[in-house]
Amino acid sequence: MKSDLINSLTYADAGVSIDAGNAMVDEIKPLVRATRRPGADAEIGGFGGLFDLKAAGFKDPILVAANDGVGTKVKIAVDTNQHHTIGIDLVAMCVNDIVVQGAEPLFFLDYFATGKLAADIGVEIVRGIAEGCRIAGCALIGGETAEMPGLYARGDYDLAGFAVGAAERGTLLPRLDTIREGDVILGLASSGVHSNGFSLVRYIVDMARVKWEAPAPFAPEQSLGEALLTPTRIYVKEILAVLKGESGAGIKALAHITGGGFPDNIPRVLPDGFGARLDLSSIKAQPVFSWLSKAGGVADTEMLRTFNCGIGMAVVVAAEHADAIANAFTTLGETVSRFGVITQHVDGDRVRYDGRLPL
């Protein structure tokens, strides 16, 4: 038997198809080209992607980099065979981390690992990534597709994203030396759960014994799978527009509300000696959070440190500019709530709450 294999064994026999990978690259090239922007031609196929900072208009830039994934939200995409939006999540989780530092996302690269490459699924994933890049205004300049039988089960995959942005020297956020007691915290609404806490979400779905294809208990016009795969909101263009506008100087800090919720993410952009007091009753939480809380018996404190609970981005602003900045975001289509203030912090929790979540 062994002699029959001499000079005949191929990579495909081990479960990896080079031809399938090359075919997928050819199919996604038009999607990638659609993300072109000044500084990048968005062509793929070389050994590395290129970006021209001068062509993008920067004079003395500081580069800002971020990488992330989408966690076990991927498992819902796999189980429901719905792959066209998960790429938007991947881009969102990276570029939102860049824009909170006052930087403009410039380019993006992805890593797609799977047990057995299904080109049609891979193309749908990249279609979502390209759409996310288009929404964020960054170029998709490269990526990697890894077929790894034996490490991933057939049909399973995972994603990682890498984004780089830039800001002119002296314009980065947070402006720690300007933050004062009494500064206002505005909240920009999320689109739902975004891409954190999905291990708990899936556990609650199992407990509730609701099928992915069944009507969502909190959004019966959609299946449960469709509703939970609502992509993470990308705030890049709106935030950059306000930062560059008349009231932009009043923005002192931005916090992307991801894993760890309010208590972990807001303190990341505050100087020592400062905390936040949040009015939970002012938050308009989407119905999905009420369902997760009730179906899973999840306490408010756990909801607040696991999910965004309806606020995807916190904006710390000077009190005298709060109304103007809120109006600027509203004009751009954001749903804005005034949900907190900056406080002095001596000991105990840095983020404290008034009222209760409207779940």
Side-chain angles (χ1 to χ4, degrees):
M1 181 66 179
K2 288 184 179 179
S3 62
D4 294 338
L5 297 177
I6 295 175
N7 297 328
S8 66
L9 197 63
T10 67
Y11 207 0
D13 292 325
V16 178
S17 173
I18 295 174
D19 292 337
N22 290 337
M24 178 180 153
V25 169
D26 288 339
E27 197 164 349
I28 66 176
K29 281 183 177 179
L31 301 174
V32 173
R33 290 189 188 111
T35 70
R36 284 176 173 164
R37 54 150 294 152
D41 61 10
E43 288 290 340
I44 58 171
F47 286 99
L50 305 177
F51 194 91
D52 185 341
L53 284 165
K54 187 174 181 180
F58 288 92
K59 296 179 176 61
D60 186 17
I62 300 291
L63 295 179
V64 179
N67 72 296
D68 211 334
V70 295
T72 58
K73 191 172 186 176
V74 165
K75 185 61 175 169
I76 300 178
V78 170
D79 289 348
T80 61
N81 196 31
Q82 298 179 55
H83 310 279
H84 61 289
T85 61
I86 200 73
I88 299 175
D89 288 290
L90 185 65
V91 174
M93 296 304 288
C94 297
V95 298
N96 284 342
D97 278 355
I98 285 176
V99 77
V100 297
Q101 296 176 83
E104 175 188 353
L106 302 176
F107 59 86
F108 188 86
L109 301 98
D110 68 275
Y111 177 74
F112 167 45
T114 185
K116 180 66 177 175
L117 179 61
D120 56 338
I121 292 175
V123 169
E124 283 301 292
I125 292 169
V126 175
R127 191 183 307 280
I129 292 172
E131 175 65 8
C133 287
R134 187 195 63 78
I135 296 169
C138 63
L140 177 57
I141 65 169
E144 170 68 8
T145 299
E147 194 172 15
M148 297 191 284
L151 185 58
Y152 294 92
R154 181 181 288 266
D156 281 347
Y157 63 83
D158 198 11
L159 299 170
F162 309 84
V164 173
E168 293 292 354
R169 193 178 303 274
T171 65
L172 287 170
L173 296 176
R175 300 184 180 110
L176 294 177
D177 59 342
T178 70
I179 292 175
R180 301 285 185 270
E181 183 178 13
D183 285 343
V184 171
I185 306 174
L186 302 176
L188 306 185
S190 68
S191 57
V193 183
H194 284 184
S195 297
N196 295 102
F198 271 89
S199 293
L200 179 56
V201 170
R202 290 170 47 247
Y203 189 74
I204 292 170
V205 169
D206 284 344
M207 285 177 53
R209 298 186 177 182
V210 183
K211 301 294 184 183
W212 296 123
E213 63 274 14
F218 51 88
E221 71 281 1
Q222 294 179 286
S223 71
L224 179 60
E226 289 171 337
L228 289 175
L229 286 172
T230 298
T232 304
R233 184 160 181 77
I234 295 174
Y235 300 93
V236 170
K237 290 184 177 178
E238 293 78 9
I239 287 175
L240 291 177
V242 176
L243 282 172
K244 294 173 182 177
E246 291 183 6
S247 58
I251 294 179
K252 300 183 176 186
L254 294 154
H256 184 198
I257 308 303
T258 57
F262 300 138
D264 282 2
N265 288 293
I266 292 177
R268 292 170 69 179
V269 299
L270 301 180
D272 291 341
F274 289 89
R277 181 167 288 278
L278 306 182
D279 177 10
L280 299 180
S281 64
S282 69
I283 299 173
K284 296 180 175 63
Q286 293 91 345
V288 61
F289 296 110
S290 295
W291 182 75
L292 289 169
S293 175
K294 292 170 184 174
V298 184
D300 285 2
T301 52
E302 188 66 17
M303 293 291 295
L304 290 164
R305 67 192 297 263
T306 304
F307 302 114
N308 65 64
C309 293
I311 300 292
M313 189 71 67
V315 189
V316 179
V317 304
E320 63 270 24
H321 296 296
D323 289 341
I325 292 171
N327 289 337
F329 276 116
T330 301
T331 300
L332 292 168
E334 295 293 338
T335 300
V336 185
S337 60
R338 187 166 175 154
F339 83 115
V341 293
I342 299 300
T343 60
Q344 293 282 345
H345 173 260
V346 178
D347 55 26
D349 296 335
R350 291 186 73 185
V351 177
R352 304 188 184 193
Y353 308 106
D354 294 318
R356 292 197 62 185
L357 281 171
L359 300 178

